[in-house]
Amino acid sequence: MDRGTVGSAHQNRLLVEVRQQGSSAVVTPAGELDHHTAELLQEPLDACLDNGLTRLVVDCARLDFCDSTGLNVLLGARLKAEAAGGGVHLAGMQPVVARVFEITGADAVFTVHETLGAALVE
């Protein structure tokens, strides 16, 4: 585990890396977020919140796919983060992933940034 890395989880199609940057937890899922892999994202998001990191930045630049189960994981994290006084910021979404958020209207409930750098500006 690299210095500064809070943790990581991996299962065939999804790798999730977590690091702290300032007062934010940067969570980077890479691969496909779906029914079979959603728990691999939910666990580190919950761990960040349990450890008092309530500003979650999800770097979606390496996320190739997201279905409704993955979307529900992010929506659940958003509710928990907001209840703790924080929030979930999404950054760098690929068009195929952004389309899921647009179709469902979820893009209206998240703070969406074009880049990770923009999301980290507090």
PDB file of all heavy atoms in Angstrom, residues 3 8 26-27 30 40 52 67-68 71 75 77 87-90 97 99 101 110 114 116:
ATOM      1  N   ARG A   3       2.199   5.043   0.538  1.00  0.00           N
ATOM      2  CA  ARG A   3       2.046   6.014   1.617  1.00  0.00           C
ATOM      3  C   ARG A   3       0.943   6.999   1.244  1.00  0.00           C
ATOM      4  O   ARG A   3       0.867   7.465   0.123  1.00  0.00           O
ATOM      5  CB  ARG A   3       3.359   6.762   1.805  1.00  0.00           C
ATOM      6  CG  ARG A   3       3.302   7.694   2.956  1.00  0.00           C
ATOM      7  CD  ARG A   3       4.610   8.410   3.133  1.00  0.00           C
ATOM      8  NE  ARG A   3       4.446   9.295   4.259  1.00  0.00           N
ATOM      9  CZ  ARG A   3       5.368   9.530   5.141  1.00  0.00           C
ATOM     10  NH1 ARG A   3       6.540   8.972   5.020  1.00  0.00           N
ATOM     11  NH2 ARG A   3       5.142  10.331   6.137  1.00  0.00           N
ATOM     12  N   SER A   8      -7.564  -0.063  -0.350  1.00  0.00           N
ATOM     13  CA  SER A   8      -7.980  -0.394  -1.702  1.00  0.00           C
ATOM     14  C   SER A   8      -8.726  -1.718  -1.675  1.00  0.00           C
ATOM     15  O   SER A   8      -8.577  -2.517  -0.768  1.00  0.00           O
ATOM     16  CB  SER A   8      -6.780  -0.479  -2.645  1.00  0.00           C
ATOM     17  OG  SER A   8      -5.943  -1.541  -2.278  1.00  0.00           O
ATOM     18  N   VAL A  26     -10.400  11.170  -1.430  1.00  0.00           N
ATOM     19  CA  VAL A  26     -10.494  10.990  -2.878  1.00  0.00           C
ATOM     20  C   VAL A  26     -10.645   9.495  -3.127  1.00  0.00           C
ATOM     21  O   VAL A  26      -9.760   8.705  -2.813  1.00  0.00           O
ATOM     22  CB  VAL A  26      -9.259  11.543  -3.610  1.00  0.00           C
ATOM     23  CG1 VAL A  26      -9.380  11.298  -5.114  1.00  0.00           C
ATOM     24  CG2 VAL A  26      -9.092  13.023  -3.315  1.00  0.00           C
ATOM     25  N   VAL A  27     -11.791   9.126  -3.683  1.00  0.00           N
ATOM     26  CA  VAL A  27     -12.113   7.728  -3.947  1.00  0.00           C
ATOM     27  C   VAL A  27     -12.109   7.559  -5.466  1.00  0.00           C
ATOM     28  O   VAL A  27     -12.838   8.247  -6.173  1.00  0.00           O
ATOM     29  CB  VAL A  27     -13.489   7.364  -3.352  1.00  0.00           C
ATOM     30  CG1 VAL A  27     -13.820   5.905  -3.612  1.00  0.00           C
ATOM     31  CG2 VAL A  27     -13.530   7.677  -1.856  1.00  0.00           C
ATOM     32  N   ALA A  30     -12.052   2.268 -10.616  1.00  0.00           N
ATOM     33  CA  ALA A  30     -11.589   2.021 -11.981  1.00  0.00           C
ATOM     34  C   ALA A  30     -12.196   0.722 -12.468  1.00  0.00           C
ATOM     35  O   ALA A  30     -12.072  -0.311 -11.811  1.00  0.00           O
ATOM     36  CB  ALA A  30     -10.073   1.952 -12.016  1.00  0.00           C
ATOM     37  N   LEU A  40     -17.745  -3.176  -3.432  1.00  0.00           N
ATOM     38  CA  LEU A  40     -16.337  -2.784  -3.393  1.00  0.00           C
ATOM     39  C   LEU A  40     -16.164  -1.270  -3.355  1.00  0.00           C
ATOM     40  O   LEU A  40     -15.124  -0.781  -2.932  1.00  0.00           O
ATOM     41  CB  LEU A  40     -15.591  -3.358  -4.591  1.00  0.00           C
ATOM     42  CG  LEU A  40     -15.480  -4.878  -4.610  1.00  0.00           C
ATOM     43  CD1 LEU A  40     -14.916  -5.353  -5.938  1.00  0.00           C
ATOM     44  CD2 LEU A  40     -14.623  -5.357  -3.449  1.00  0.00           C
ATOM     45  N   GLY A  52     -14.627   9.932   9.809  1.00  0.00           N
ATOM     46  CA  GLY A  52     -14.797  11.374   9.923  1.00  0.00           C
ATOM     47  C   GLY A  52     -14.490  12.175   8.670  1.00  0.00           C
ATOM     48  O   GLY A  52     -14.496  13.404   8.708  1.00  0.00           O
ATOM     49  N   ASP A  67     -24.106   1.110 -13.399  1.00  0.00           N
ATOM     50  CA  ASP A  67     -25.525   0.789 -13.525  1.00  0.00           C
ATOM     51  C   ASP A  67     -26.289   1.352 -12.334  1.00  0.00           C
ATOM     52  O   ASP A  67     -25.738   2.099 -11.525  1.00  0.00           O
ATOM     53  CB  ASP A  67     -25.735  -0.719 -13.690  1.00  0.00           C
ATOM     54  CG  ASP A  67     -25.511  -1.532 -12.423  1.00  0.00           C
ATOM     55  OD1 ASP A  67     -25.168  -0.962 -11.367  1.00  0.00           O
ATOM     56  OD2 ASP A  67     -25.689  -2.769 -12.489  1.00  0.00           O
ATOM     57  N   SER A  68     -27.557   0.992 -12.216  1.00  0.00           N
ATOM     58  CA  SER A  68     -28.401   1.557 -11.157  1.00  0.00           C
ATOM     59  C   SER A  68     -27.925   1.161  -9.767  1.00  0.00           C
ATOM     60  O   SER A  68     -28.072   1.942  -8.820  1.00  0.00           O
ATOM     61  CB  SER A  68     -29.858   1.133 -11.353  1.00  0.00           C
ATOM     62  OG  SER A  68     -29.976  -0.276 -11.298  1.00  0.00           O
ATOM     63  N   LEU A  71     -25.132   3.524  -8.987  1.00  0.00           N
ATOM     64  CA  LEU A  71     -25.727   4.832  -8.749  1.00  0.00           C
ATOM     65  C   LEU A  71     -26.331   4.901  -7.347  1.00  0.00           C
ATOM     66  O   LEU A  71     -26.148   5.887  -6.623  1.00  0.00           O
ATOM     67  CB  LEU A  71     -26.795   5.119  -9.805  1.00  0.00           C
ATOM     68  CG  LEU A  71     -27.522   6.435  -9.717  1.00  0.00           C
ATOM     69  CD1 LEU A  71     -26.570   7.616  -9.810  1.00  0.00           C
ATOM     70  CD2 LEU A  71     -28.576   6.518 -10.815  1.00  0.00           C
ATOM     71  N   LEU A  75     -25.605   7.469  -4.292  1.00  0.00           N
ATOM     72  CA  LEU A  75     -26.694   8.235  -3.679  1.00  0.00           C
ATOM     73  C   LEU A  75     -26.753   7.983  -2.169  1.00  0.00           C
ATOM     74  O   LEU A  75     -26.957   8.911  -1.385  1.00  0.00           O
ATOM     75  CB  LEU A  75     -28.033   7.874  -4.329  1.00  0.00           C
ATOM     76  CG  LEU A  75     -28.234   8.397  -5.746  1.00  0.00           C
ATOM     77  CD1 LEU A  75     -29.423   7.708  -6.409  1.00  0.00           C
ATOM     78  CD2 LEU A  75     -28.412   9.904  -5.746  1.00  0.00           C
ATOM     79  N   ALA A  77     -24.206   7.143  -0.240  1.00  0.00           N
ATOM     80  CA  ALA A  77     -23.051   7.825   0.344  1.00  0.00           C
ATOM     81  C   ALA A  77     -23.326   9.316   0.458  1.00  0.00           C
ATOM     82  O   ALA A  77     -22.950   9.958   1.447  1.00  0.00           O
ATOM     83  CB  ALA A  77     -21.801   7.576  -0.492  1.00  0.00           C
ATOM     84  N   GLY A  87     -20.467  16.121   1.979  1.00  0.00           N
ATOM     85  CA  GLY A  87     -21.083  15.927   0.678  1.00  0.00           C
ATOM     86  C   GLY A  87     -20.250  15.033  -0.205  1.00  0.00           C
ATOM     87  O   GLY A  87     -19.120  14.690   0.133  1.00  0.00           O
ATOM     88  N   VAL A  88     -20.829  14.676  -1.340  1.00  0.00           N
ATOM     89  CA  VAL A  88     -20.146  13.860  -2.329  1.00  0.00           C
ATOM     90  C   VAL A  88     -20.011  14.685  -3.599  1.00  0.00           C
ATOM     91  O   VAL A  88     -20.989  15.231  -4.101  1.00  0.00           O
ATOM     92  CB  VAL A  88     -20.917  12.553  -2.629  1.00  0.00           C
ATOM     93  CG1 VAL A  88     -20.265  11.792  -3.775  1.00  0.00           C
ATOM     94  CG2 VAL A  88     -20.983  11.677  -1.390  1.00  0.00           C
ATOM     95  N   HIS A  89     -18.784  14.774  -4.085  1.00  0.00           N
ATOM     96  CA  HIS A  89     -18.485  15.486  -5.322  1.00  0.00           C
ATOM     97  C   HIS A  89     -18.013  14.470  -6.342  1.00  0.00           C
ATOM     98  O   HIS A  89     -17.201  13.606  -6.023  1.00  0.00           O
ATOM     99  CB  HIS A  89     -17.386  16.525  -5.090  1.00  0.00           C
ATOM    100  CG  HIS A  89     -17.775  17.576  -4.100  1.00  0.00           C
ATOM    101  ND1 HIS A  89     -18.131  18.841  -4.483  1.00  0.00           N
ATOM    102  CD2 HIS A  89     -17.894  17.540  -2.746  1.00  0.00           C
ATOM    103  CE1 HIS A  89     -18.446  19.548  -3.413  1.00  0.00           C
ATOM    104  NE2 HIS A  89     -18.307  18.773  -2.345  1.00  0.00           N
ATOM    105  N   LEU A  90     -18.515  14.567  -7.557  1.00  0.00           N
ATOM    106  CA  LEU A  90     -18.121  13.668  -8.634  1.00  0.00           C
ATOM    107  C   LEU A  90     -17.245  14.428  -9.608  1.00  0.00           C
ATOM    108  O   LEU A  90     -17.532  15.581  -9.937  1.00  0.00           O
ATOM    109  CB  LEU A  90     -19.357  13.127  -9.354  1.00  0.00           C
ATOM    110  CG  LEU A  90     -20.394  12.430  -8.476  1.00  0.00           C
ATOM    111  CD1 LEU A  90     -21.595  12.011  -9.310  1.00  0.00           C
ATOM    112  CD2 LEU A  90     -19.799  11.238  -7.755  1.00  0.00           C
ATOM    113  N   VAL A  97     -20.780   7.187 -18.493  1.00  0.00           N
ATOM    114  CA  VAL A  97     -21.199   7.247 -17.090  1.00  0.00           C
ATOM    115  C   VAL A  97     -22.040   8.498 -16.849  1.00  0.00           C
ATOM    116  O   VAL A  97     -23.088   8.438 -16.197  1.00  0.00           O
ATOM    117  CB  VAL A  97     -19.979   7.200 -16.146  1.00  0.00           C
ATOM    118  CG1 VAL A  97     -20.390   7.406 -14.702  1.00  0.00           C
ATOM    119  CG2 VAL A  97     -19.247   5.876 -16.308  1.00  0.00           C
ATOM    120  N   ARG A  99     -23.946   9.915 -18.862  1.00  0.00           N
ATOM    121  CA  ARG A  99     -25.274   9.703 -19.464  1.00  0.00           C
ATOM    122  C   ARG A  99     -26.227   9.028 -18.476  1.00  0.00           C
ATOM    123  O   ARG A  99     -27.407   9.379 -18.408  1.00  0.00           O
ATOM    124  CB  ARG A  99     -25.125   8.868 -20.741  1.00  0.00           C
ATOM    125  CG  ARG A  99     -26.402   8.680 -21.474  1.00  0.00           C
ATOM    126  CD  ARG A  99     -26.803   9.961 -22.194  1.00  0.00           C
ATOM    127  NE  ARG A  99     -28.036   9.714 -22.928  1.00  0.00           N
ATOM    128  CZ  ARG A  99     -29.091  10.509 -22.883  1.00  0.00           C
ATOM    129  NH1 ARG A  99     -29.059  11.628 -22.202  1.00  0.00           N
ATOM    130  NH2 ARG A  99     -30.158  10.207 -23.550  1.00  0.00           N
ATOM    131  N   PHE A 101     -26.230   9.358 -15.269  1.00  0.00           N
ATOM    132  CA  PHE A 101     -26.615  10.385 -14.313  1.00  0.00           C
ATOM    133  C   PHE A 101     -27.610  11.367 -14.924  1.00  0.00           C
ATOM    134  O   PHE A 101     -28.544  11.799 -14.267  1.00  0.00           O
ATOM    135  CB  PHE A 101     -25.372  11.113 -13.777  1.00  0.00           C
ATOM    136  CG  PHE A 101     -24.618  10.302 -12.771  1.00  0.00           C
ATOM    137  CD1 PHE A 101     -23.797   9.263 -13.161  1.00  0.00           C
ATOM    138  CD2 PHE A 101     -24.749  10.572 -11.414  1.00  0.00           C
ATOM    139  CE1 PHE A 101     -23.118   8.501 -12.218  1.00  0.00           C
ATOM    140  CE2 PHE A 101     -24.074   9.822 -10.471  1.00  0.00           C
ATOM    141  CZ  PHE A 101     -23.258   8.781 -10.875  1.00  0.00           C
ATOM    142  N   PHE A 110     -26.004  15.801  -7.246  1.00  0.00           N
ATOM    143  CA  PHE A 110     -24.577  15.766  -6.935  1.00  0.00           C
ATOM    144  C   PHE A 110     -23.919  17.050  -7.403  1.00  0.00           C
ATOM    145  O   PHE A 110     -24.382  17.693  -8.345  1.00  0.00           O
ATOM    146  CB  PHE A 110     -23.875  14.600  -7.653  1.00  0.00           C
ATOM    147  CG  PHE A 110     -24.169  13.251  -7.083  1.00  0.00           C
ATOM    148  CD1 PHE A 110     -25.131  12.440  -7.660  1.00  0.00           C
ATOM    149  CD2 PHE A 110     -23.490  12.784  -5.974  1.00  0.00           C
ATOM    150  CE1 PHE A 110     -25.408  11.183  -7.146  1.00  0.00           C
ATOM    151  CE2 PHE A 110     -23.754  11.530  -5.445  1.00  0.00           C
ATOM    152  CZ  PHE A 110     -24.720  10.730  -6.033  1.00  0.00           C
ATOM    153  N   GLU A 114     -15.786  18.935 -13.772  1.00  0.00           N
ATOM    154  CA  GLU A 114     -15.163  18.387 -14.982  1.00  0.00           C
ATOM    155  C   GLU A 114     -13.875  17.644 -14.672  1.00  0.00           C
ATOM    156  O   GLU A 114     -13.554  16.659 -15.332  1.00  0.00           O
ATOM    157  CB  GLU A 114     -14.898  19.503 -15.998  1.00  0.00           C
ATOM    158  CG  GLU A 114     -16.144  19.934 -16.710  1.00  0.00           C
ATOM    159  CD  GLU A 114     -15.844  20.754 -17.949  1.00  0.00           C
ATOM    160  OE1 GLU A 114     -14.841  20.443 -18.649  1.00  0.00           O
ATOM    161  OE2 GLU A 114     -16.601  21.678 -18.205  1.00  0.00           O
ATOM    162  N   LEU A 116     -10.777  16.411 -11.519  1.00  0.00           N
ATOM    163  CA  LEU A 116     -10.482  16.161 -10.109  1.00  0.00           C
ATOM    164  C   LEU A 116      -9.953  17.430  -9.454  1.00  0.00           C
ATOM    165  O   LEU A 116     -10.332  17.764  -8.330  1.00  0.00           O
ATOM    166  CB  LEU A 116      -9.470  15.014  -9.979  1.00  0.00           C
ATOM    167  CG  LEU A 116      -9.003  14.692  -8.563  1.00  0.00           C
ATOM    168  CD1 LEU A 116     -10.170  14.283  -7.676  1.00  0.00           C
ATOM    169  CD2 LEU A 116      -7.942  13.602  -8.600  1.00  0.00           C
TER     170      LEU A 116
END
